[in-house]
Amino acid sequence: MDSGFLVALSGFSHNCVVREKTAAMPPPSDIVKVAIEWPGANAQLMEIDQKKPLSSIIREVCDGWSLSGSEQFALRYADGPQLYITEQSRSEIKNGTILRLAISPARAARQLLDRIQSHGIDARLEALKELAKLSADPTFATEFISMEGIGTLARLVESGTHFGEMLAFTLTAFLELMDHGIVSWDLISLSFIKQIASYVNQPMVDVSILQRSLAILESMVLNSHSLYHRVAQEITVGQLIGHLSNQEIQTYAIALINALFLKAPEDRRQEMASTLAQKHLRSIILNHVIRGNRPIKAEMAHQLYVLQVLTFNLLEERMMTKMDPSDQAQRDIIFELRRIAFDGENDSSGTEKRKAMYTKDYKMLGFTNHVNPAMDFTQTPPGMLALDNMLYLAKLHQDTYIRIVLENSSREDKHECPFGRCAIELTRMLCEILQVGELPNEGCNDYHPMFFTHDRAWEEFFCVCIQLLNKTWKEMRATAEDFNKVMQVVREQITRTLAMKPSSLDQLKGKLRGLSYSEILRLRQSERMSQDDFQSPPIIELRERIQPEILELIKQQRLNRLCEGSCFRKLGNRRRQEKFWFCRLSLNHKVLHYGDLDESPQGEVPFELLTDKIPVSDIKSVVTGKDCPHMKEKSALKQNKEVLEQAFSILYDPDENLNFVAPNKYEYCIWTDGLCALLGREMGSDLTRSDLDTLISMEMKLRLLDLENITIPEAPPPVPKEPSTYNFTYNYG
């Protein structure tokens, strides 16, 4: 766009402002001032009446350039995704928007459909390139699909005559069109699946074709039960693992592995897990992804999290399986635990003597039911998973197991740690912490690198934690009555350590050693105010005086963060390439600037790149969670607790909204607090409460530093009586 046009548009807006000021009244809410372009002609500056039918507005635009057949034209945005404007989406047009007159979606679809079937290679390539871009538009997609466009693209792929860029654009257009959900994936032919699978199985294929092929196969698996079986027959896990050494397609390959894992029948998942282990998937991910030379992006972190969840979910069957006290094979496992702990070799004493001895041994092993310890494993969770963990410890860490059992069984001061009971409760706790049995959350990236460092990561994690429990029990000098208190401390030690994301099991051990019981007490003390020290009236009054200035400090920090801005991921199909948008507050706190980005930014995004804006004075309110318009519209997301908790929307004049899904809980709190501060409302997030408590605590401790070890009275000291005489005074006169 030339500078003369921008000056004209600026003058147009200025003249409108002058007229509005002269009239001393706000412009009608249904009038929008825009510029409309047409190739080879001067742009038209128009006031669009939103009450008029869109067809009438297009007719006026066509008349301005003496174009006939207005029904063959449509309006599109000139910037960004350049979507078509429909009666449903026209309310999103803002003042100052630049639009473009274009041929209608139906006409564009018909022309492109004819061109992609033409004989000229160059013409077909240009048509497919344009189709790949337009296919993301739902209006165009509807028209193209209605003309059997998807079938045409499928036949082009099945023919096997397209290569390179032409094939990449064909696959891109196909995936974008299918992602709109207009056509069922079940209609895809077997020959198409075989052709797409062949691109994945070939050793030398262009990266862009591989990426799109893997994404298409992932969509097939996730969206169709019947296609899962067909894809699983065509694609082997070994072929997918072979692609993990290529950094350009790692994410797509792991995403397809996860999809196959997720949709596999329950009886096939253990078999698939064994195959993945045999192919060394874990070590390949560790070396080529987690410890690779590239930072892990959000989408890859999500796929690693999904793989971690699906792997742990393999434990669910054992977790929910009760022990059968009559099953001799299961009882033999308990006998084996007793034998490893107390017998060097098989015992040949009589049955009655052996039975009495076993009962004593089971008591020393820490089982609740000494006579029949099998009854301890009838509660689910953790069911048989607890027994599996105990047997793993006894066999693979025998010295540790024997030490824990014997040092507690030989104590006679009531401070013995009951190994059996602790192991069962610890297994239940670890299942809760790692959410065994729950499906992955969309948008969650909470994977732990250390679980990719060992083939038996779950069992090794248990072995580390049972030693921690035994150590903490001794540090607390606990008795049987303190069992629940010890488990609470151990849970805190584990969750605090996991939050540090140790990179290996050795690092986990080191961090747990640093979180002793005394350290937990110290942390608890530092994180909360002592109720005994801060409940006297003078302290409460001091707190109330400090609070307003601390709140003002928090408010300024929130507004400064809004001025820096944040990047948000656009909601949509995760199988598409990630799209982002950025929003930041102007330095004078009067305007919110926002706009689309091609990729996640590194550093600050200048205002010039953010083409859209909302005056703060136009904001009516801020809504969160299920009250957000985009949460009401997306039924699939309503079931996703994490996305729901991080969603918020700005409602502004006349009846429009700007929808956000924060990348994490911290950004959610920062933005909701900052927007509330802009509107003069109370900042009520969890982060504000935490910051307020921390800052007030620090400020009060600083102010009371000189009063250390001095008891602060509940009430002010009494004023002494007046002296009987004032003869002690000295007169300087």
Side-chain angles (χ1 to χ4, degrees):
M1 191 183 304
D2 59 26
S3 58
F5 170 63
L6 291 175
V7 171
L9 180 57
S10 173
F12 172 70
S13 302
H14 174 74
N15 291 335
C16 291
V17 172
V18 172
R19 287 197 296 271
E20 288 164 9
K21 288 183 177 180
T22 305
M25 61 183 293
S29 59
D30 47 18
I31 298 296
V32 184
K33 303 177 182 66
V34 300
I36 303 177
E37 299 176 334
W38 175 252
N42 292 327
Q44 296 185 40
L45 306 177
M46 290 188 64
E47 291 187 353
I48 292 179
D49 187 348
Q50 294 284 37
K51 290 181 179 179
K52 274 187 175 183
L54 191 58
S55 57
S56 299
I57 296 170
I58 294 172
R59 189 180 304 114
E60 288 180 23
V61 175
C62 289
D63 291 344
W65 283 308
S66 302
L67 298 173
S68 59
S70 61
E71 67 278 357
Q72 297 293 317
F73 293 92
L75 290 175
R76 291 170 60 186
Y77 288 99
D79 301 317
Q82 300 181 3
L83 299 177
Y84 278 102
I85 294 166
T86 63
E87 289 288 357
Q88 292 73 32
S89 65
R90 63 185 296 179
S91 61
E92 299 173 9
I93 302 174
K94 311 290 190 305
N95 280 318
T97 301
I98 301 174
L99 306 179
R100 179 176 296 153
L101 185 67
I103 59 174
S104 67
R107 188 177 167 193
R110 172 52 61 193
Q111 289 181 359
L112 285 174
L113 197 57
D114 293 339
R115 287 165 59 196
I116 63 176
Q117 298 177 84
S118 66
H119 296 293
I121 294 178
D122 291 341
R124 195 186 308 172
L125 178 61
E126 284 302 313
L128 287 168
K129 184 176 182 179
E130 189 175 346
L131 177 63
K133 183 178 179 182
L134 278 175
S135 294
D137 188 310
T139 309
F140 172 84
T142 303
E143 297 290 346
F144 189 80
I145 290 170
S146 68
M147 299 174 187
E148 301 297 327
I150 284 184
T152 302
L153 292 178
R155 286 190 293 274
L156 289 175
V157 174
E158 290 169 13
S159 68
T161 57
H162 283 49
F163 304 98
E165 270 191 315
M166 192 175 293
L167 179 58
F169 289 135
T170 305
L171 296 178
T172 301
F174 179 86
L175 183 60
E176 291 285 359
L177 291 167
M178 291 300 295
D179 274 348
H180 290 294
I182 301 171
V183 178
S184 171
W185 282 92
D186 288 318
L187 300 176
I188 302 301
S189 68
L190 181 59
S191 59
F192 180 84
I193 297 172
K194 286 180 176 292
Q195 188 63 42
I196 295 295
S198 71
Y199 299 137
V200 176
N201 297 335
Q202 289 174 18
M204 299 296 291
V205 177
D206 186 74
V207 168
S208 59
I209 294 173
L210 254 179
Q211 289 175 339
R212 288 152 181 79
S213 298
L214 289 166
I216 289 171
L217 292 172
E218 182 200 358
S219 293
M220 289 179 183
V221 172
L222 293 176
N223 289 288
S224 171
H225 179 70
S226 61
L227 290 187
Y228 157 75
H229 294 286
R230 294 180 180 179
V231 173
Q233 290 172 356
E234 298 295 330
I235 298 292
T236 66
V237 171
Q239 290 163 337
L240 294 176
I241 291 176
H243 291 304
L244 293 181
S245 57
N246 188 333
Q247 293 181 332
E248 300 297 328
I249 56 176
Q250 286 173 341
T251 306
Y252 296 89
I254 295 179
L256 181 53
I257 290 172
N258 285 338
L260 291 167
F261 208 158
L262 182 65
K263 293 298 180 178
E266 289 188 14
D267 58 339
R268 284 266 302 131
R269 287 180 190 169
Q270 288 289 356
E271 181 185 336
M272 185 174 176
S274 299
T275 304
L276 294 175
Q278 291 170 6
K279 298 292 183 180
H280 308 292
L281 173 66
R282 178 199 59 76
S283 59
I284 291 172
I285 288 177
L286 180 67
N287 295 323
H288 290 282
V289 179
I290 296 175
R291 294 177 179 171
N293 54 13
R294 281 190 179 185
I296 293 178
K297 294 184 178 180
E299 176 62 18
M300 175 59 85
H302 173 74
Q303 295 300 338
L304 292 175
Y305 154 78
V306 172
L307 183 59
Q308 172 186 292
V309 171
L310 295 177
T311 303
F312 284 147
N313 282 357
L314 295 172
L315 305 168
E316 184 181 12
E317 182 182 355
R318 295 292 285 174
M319 180 182 77
M320 301 307 295
T321 301
K322 296 181 180 181
M323 186 171 189
D324 181 1
S326 63
D327 188 323
Q328 188 58 43
Q330 295 180 1
R331 292 168 63 86
D332 286 344
I333 299 176
I334 298 178
F335 293 155
E336 181 69 3
L337 289 174
R338 192 208 68 81
R339 186 195 66 76
I340 294 173
F342 302 114
D343 291 347
E345 48 193 52
N346 292 332
D347 188 23
S348 59
S349 54
T351 305
E352 289 299 321
K353 182 181 178 183
R354 214 167 41 236
K355 186 174 181 181
M357 184 175 65
Y358 284 2
T359 301
K360 180 184 176 183
D361 289 348
Y362 291 144
K363 182 178 180 180
M364 288 193 292
L365 273 171
F367 289 113
T368 304
N369 191 319
H370 310 149
V371 178
N372 187 6
M375 299 302 296
D376 286 13
F377 299 95
T378 55
Q379 185 177 355
T380 57
M384 290 294 291
L385 184 59
L387 188 59
D388 295 342
N389 286 342
M390 294 164 71
L391 185 63
Y392 181 89
L393 175 70
K395 286 195 167 184
L396 277 87
H397 298 274
Q398 196 170 110
D399 291 344
T400 300
Y401 168 70
I402 293 173
R403 176 178 55 78
I404 292 174
V405 172
L406 294 185
E407 76 178 16
N408 286 291
S409 62
S410 61
R411 299 187 67 159
E412 297 181 359
D413 56 1
K414 297 184 179 179
H415 289 291
E416 68 276 2
C417 175
F419 169 75
R421 184 185 176 191
C422 288
I424 293 169
E425 187 57 35
L426 177 64
T427 301
R428 180 187 293 108
M429 180 197 297
L430 296 182
C431 289
E432 290 175 0
I433 292 172
L434 296 175
Q435 300 178 331
V436 175
E438 296 187 18
L439 288 176
N441 284 326
E442 177 75 19
C444 182
N445 303 334
D446 190 24
Y447 80 97
H448 295 278
M450 69 175 181
F451 291 131
F452 292 88
T453 63
H454 201 286
D455 290 328
R456 303 291 295 273
W458 164 265
E459 291 86 351
E460 289 294 324
F461 184 47
F462 168 83
C463 294
V464 172
C465 292
I466 194 69
Q467 294 178 71
L468 168 72
L469 196 159
N470 185 59
K471 172 174 169 284
T472 302
W473 186 284
K474 290 188 289 186
E475 290 174 348
M476 294 178 67
R477 292 191 55 77
T479 62
E481 290 76 19
D482 301 318
F483 183 83
N484 290 333
K485 292 181 182 177
V486 175
M487 296 309 296
Q488 288 173 3
V489 173
V490 170
R491 175 185 281 270
E492 187 171 347
Q493 290 171 316
I494 293 171
T495 52
R496 283 180 181 272
T497 304
L498 287 178
M500 301 177 199
K501 295 291 178 71
S503 60
S504 66
L505 289 165
D506 287 336
Q507 199 175 96
L508 171 74
K509 294 175 188 176
K511 291 184 181 298
L512 285 174
R513 277 195 296 270
L515 275 178
S516 62
Y517 175 56
S518 58
E519 178 65 10
I520 289 292
L521 291 180
R522 189 192 68 78
L523 289 171
R524 286 177 175 178
Q525 185 72 14
S526 66
E527 289 172 359
R528 69 184 180 205
M529 291 185 182
S530 170
Q531 296 299 316
D532 297 334
D533 293 342
F534 290 92
Q535 288 302 312
S536 61
I539 299 299
I540 293 174
E541 184 180 348
L542 176 60
R543 180 186 177 94
E544 290 172 352
R545 289 189 180 187
I546 291 173
Q547 184 163 318
E549 60 185 82
I550 298 297
L551 279 173
E552 182 61 27
L553 185 66
I554 294 172
K555 174 184 172 181
Q556 290 304 319
Q557 188 270 341
R558 300 293 193 263
L559 293 177
N560 289 340
R561 279 289 287 105
L562 262 62
C563 289
E564 293 173 10
S566 297
C567 182
F568 300 90
R569 187 170 60 84
K570 282 197 169 186
L571 286 178
N573 194 311
R574 180 173 280 278
R575 290 173 298 284
R576 295 183 184 180
Q577 186 176 357
E578 265 196 309
K579 297 178 181 178
F580 303 91
W581 66 286
F582 197 88
C583 186
R584 64 181 296 197
L585 179 66
S586 63
L587 299 180
N588 61 5
H589 299 172
K590 291 185 177 181
V591 180
L592 276 173
H593 298 263
Y594 65 97
D596 294 339
L597 299 175
D598 293 331
E599 57 184 19
S600 183
Q602 302 295 325
E604 190 176 276
V605 176
F607 290 110
E608 293 77 20
L609 296 180
L610 306 177
T611 55
D612 299 308
K613 59 185 178 181
I614 301 172
V616 172
S617 58
D618 286 353
I619 298 177
K620 292 179 180 178
S621 63
V622 177
V623 295
T624 59
K626 62 183 179 181
D627 294 326
C628 297
H630 56 320
M631 291 295 103
K632 294 177 181 177
E633 294 167 4
K634 296 181 179 287
S635 57
L637 289 175
K638 286 168 68 178
Q639 301 173 0
N640 191 319
K641 183 178 178 184
E642 186 158 351
V643 171
L644 197 63
E645 287 178 348
Q646 295 174 8
F648 60 98
S649 297
I650 295 173
L651 308 183
Y652 61 99
D653 285 335
D655 290 309
E656 300 179 7
N657 52 75
L658 182 62
N659 302 316
F660 300 74
V661 174
N664 50 55
K665 189 68 175 176
Y666 176 79
E667 288 293 332
Y668 169 84
C669 293
I670 288 289
W671 274 85
T672 51
D673 282 344
L675 293 170
C676 286
L678 281 176
L679 300 179
R681 297 172 188 169
E682 182 182 352
M683 299 180 294
S685 74
D686 294 339
L687 183 62
T688 290
R689 287 191 287 272
S690 173
D691 287 350
L692 186 63
D693 285 343
T694 302
L695 293 173
I696 286 182
S697 174
M698 291 172 61
E699 182 67 18
M700 290 181 69
K701 286 175 181 177
L702 286 172
R703 295 194 184 193
L704 298 174
L705 202 57
D706 292 338
L707 300 179
E708 192 173 359
N709 299 325
I710 297 176
T711 303
I712 300 173
E714 291 290 325
V719 178
K721 293 180 180 179
E722 290 190 25
S724 56
T725 67
Y726 289 88
N727 293 335
F728 57 84
T729 61
Y730 184 81
N731 189 344
Y732 286 94

